[in-house]
Amino acid sequence: MDKLTEAARDFVDAAKLAYERRYRALLEEGSHEATMRLKRQMGEDGFCGMTLPRAYGGMELPLLTVLRVTQAFQVCDMRLGGLSHRFNTGPMGAVAALAPEALRQRYVTALCRGEITMSIGISEPHAGSAATAMTTRARIEGDKVVLNGSKIFVSFADESDCTLLYCRFGNTGTPGDIGAVILPHDAPGFSLSAGTRNMAGELQYELFMDDCRLPADHVVVQSNAFGKLIKHYNGERLGSVARQLGNAEFCLNYAIDYIKERQQFGRELADFQGLQWMIADMKVKLDAAQLLTWRAAANAHGEEADALETSISKVYVAQATKEICDDALQLLGGYGYMMEYPIEHRLRETRGGGLYGGTTQIHKNMIAGHLLGRSNSQWKKA
Ligand SMILES: Cc1cc2nc3c(=O)[nH]c(=O)nc-3n(C[C@H](O)[C@H](O)[C@H](O)COP(=O)(O)OP(=O)(O)OC[C@H]3O[C@@H](n4cnc5c(N)ncnc54)[C@H](O)[C@@H]3O)c2cc1C
């Protein structure tokens, strides 16, 4: 571990130890009960709510430390990296910062104990990159909030207890209408699709709200909140970037071990200079990708990372980690393409990095808008 992330060293070491001693066996068991035990254990070990306020059981650790932990967990096991991301850089950061006190006490505290996880529902069938075109509505009726609409592509919705649901409170048709509620998954009028399997083998869910009624105190934030919500979402974006970095780190190390072992033409593959240069290029890309991410994390306030630095990290990491995983596959030859080797799954999962949390093109729009000093609105002129 280098000086830049020295403060994270103890946490990263503890994460690797916890994986070896306690988490690995539970992951191998793989049952629902084992996953529940794993979550509780992570809560007891202090790996839940690491960025969240101490007042609710969190640790208020710097985002950079937390990203290093998620990357280390991801190297150990992709599912563990996913859990670490959801527990530490998921939408609960926005709840901790923006929700009324009673909601924070209830939900943030439970997540910090490893008792619950929360999904995020932003995308809709007709509002993907153009997220502010969302039409899911929230209407306050006395002491209830009534939701109508649907969401798409929601990750881990089956395993989560609730969703931070972005929705429209006003009728002006502008982003100013957008706020958010906590939607418990047992709410009347709420249902989940069976899930669509993505190319990494995970399920993405549709959420349906059909006159779904919640206590009105489940409103996190009403109108004019989109900008505030997205500021926290930048921390979440970097959490998923840490998972991509973990995949690339795993693939690079695996490929290095492999070419030192595998012999062709009577020599180790590692003797061939063409392959040595591939390994060197992979390392240069991994370090560059990490440094861009660590910069964004180091400059963040809590989970609120700078938009430009987050976009730069997102764009570069999605491309670089995809190339690193693909080069690792190439270094393993035909074996790399086989499912019994761990590389192809890492490549498939990493491919999502250019899609979720804003696509590569959308982040490039934002970077260009910043550089050119333009709002760079993508909306068709009236
Ligand atoms: C693995 C995975 C997990 C996800 N998890 C979640 C989740 O938990 N919660 C959630 O709410 N959503 C989630 N999403 C949805 C994700 O955020 C959307 O897929 C993403 O925002 C893009 O929207 P879209 O798929 O509708 O593509 P579209 O918006 O239809 O875009 C299609 C293509 O057009 C390009 N494009 C669109 N507009 C422009 C423009 N103005 N300039 C240049 N190019 C443009 C895009 O970059 C893309 O290449 C997930 C997606 C994936 C793949």
Side-chain angles (χ1 to χ4, degrees), residues 120 122-123 128-129 153 155 204 355-356 359 361-362 365 378:
I120 186 156
I122 305 175
S123 308
S129 296
F153 290 141
S155 304
Q204 308 297 144
L355 299 169
Y356 51 68
T359 65
Q361 289 74 26
I362 293 301
N365 288 345
Q378 303 295 303

Side-chain angles (χ1 to χ4, degrees), residues 226-239:
F226 190 71
K228 290 183 209 159
L229 288 162
I230 290 295
K231 268 192 192 167
H232 288 276
Y233 190 52
N234 283 334
E236 192 165 349
R237 285 169 161 151
L238 293 173

Side-chain angles (χ1 to χ4, degrees), residues 133-257:
M134 67 181 67
T135 56
T136 294
R137 291 207 166 275
R139 192 176 73 244
I140 306 282
E141 269 185 16
D143 62 354
K144 298 278 183 227
V145 53
V146 184
L147 304 170
N148 278 290
S150 68
K151 296 287 172 183
I152 198 166
F153 290 141
V154 177
S155 304
F156 301 106
D158 60 330
E159 284 183 31
S160 300
D161 303 85
C162 53
T163 294
L164 181 68
L165 190 88
Y166 285 40
C167 48
R168 213 166 255 291
F169 283 84
N171 293 313
T172 67
T174 67
D177 294 336
I178 296 171
V181 301
I182 293 181
L183 168 61
H185 288 182
D186 57 1
F190 169 72
S191 58
L192 268 184
S193 67
T196 301
R197 203 162 290 284
N198 69 28
M199 67 183 266
E202 295 163 346
L203 290 166
Q204 308 297 144
Y205 291 88
E206 281 182 83
L207 312 185
F208 305 106
M209 286 69 62
D210 186 9
D211 273 337
C212 172
R213 301 175 91 78
L214 310 176
D217 64 6
H218 275 57
V219 174
V220 172
V221 62
Q222 284 201 36
S223 310
N224 281 322
F226 190 71
K228 290 183 209 159
L229 288 162
I230 290 295
K231 268 192 192 167
H232 288 276
Y233 190 52
N234 283 334
E236 192 165 349
R237 285 169 161 151
L238 293 173
S240 60
V241 159
R243 294 191 64 201
Q244 295 159 48
L245 291 171
N247 284 338
E249 183 186 339
F250 175 92
C251 287
L252 174 59
N253 291 336
Y254 196 95
I256 288 172
D257 288 346

